[in-house]
Amino acid sequence: MSHALTAQDLFSEMKRMPSTERIKFFSLLTNQAFRDDDFTHEQVFGHLQHEPLSAFEAAEYLEVSLPTLRRYVQANKLLPCHTVGRNQMFSAEDLRAYKRARR
């Protein structure tokens, strides 16, 4: 009769392993167990491609401060796609084009 190893038993065994063997074990685990979970950026974030970004998110995307983003808007270098109350929303496509043009 085979004895099934419980999670607690496995954890106890792993604590007794030398650190080099634990490293090998986790390397094997990540290389084998999660191989199918290697998603592309498009698969994870593709549905957000056409969603507008808040001013904070836009500044983060452009890698500038929020006051710098506000200056870009005041200078008409960037235009919000729409405004919700006092919150300006920016098109991801416009931000991408602006970021490419700045390079």
Side-chain angles (χ1 to χ4, degrees):
M1 176 181 266
S2 69
H3 171 27
L5 191 63
T6 67
Q8 187 64 38
D9 294 337
L10 178 61
F11 182 69
S12 296
E13 288 295 320
M14 295 214 37
K15 286 195 305 188
R16 287 194 288 262
M17 275 185 184
S19 62
T20 55
E21 288 301 310
R22 273 184 283 187
I23 291 169
K24 288 180 191 175
F25 173 76
F26 284 111
S27 294
L28 282 170
L29 184 64
T30 56
N31 287 334
Q32 300 296 320
F34 302 111
R35 184 171 292 170
D36 294 336
D37 292 345
D38 192 16
F39 297 111
T40 65
H41 185 273
E42 183 65 29
Q43 288 172 315
V44 176
F45 297 106
H47 67 286
L48 298 174
Q49 185 174 2
H50 301 291
E51 290 293 317
L53 280 74
S54 68
F56 178 79
E57 292 167 330
E60 192 173 76
Y61 176 77
L62 293 176
E63 300 175 36
V64 299
S65 67
L66 194 52
T68 299
L69 178 78
R70 300 282 185 220
R71 284 194 294 276
Y72 290 167
V73 171
Q74 287 175 342
N76 289 325
K77 292 180 181 180
L78 273 177
L79 299 174
C81 62
H82 64 277
T83 304
V84 179
R86 292 180 45 196
N87 300 311
Q88 295 174 323
M89 304 300 286
F90 296 85
S91 161
E93 292 150 354
D94 292 346
L95 293 172
R96 195 173 302 110
Y98 183 76
K99 191 172 186 175
R100 283 188 190 130
R102 278 192 346 182
R103 290 184 184 170

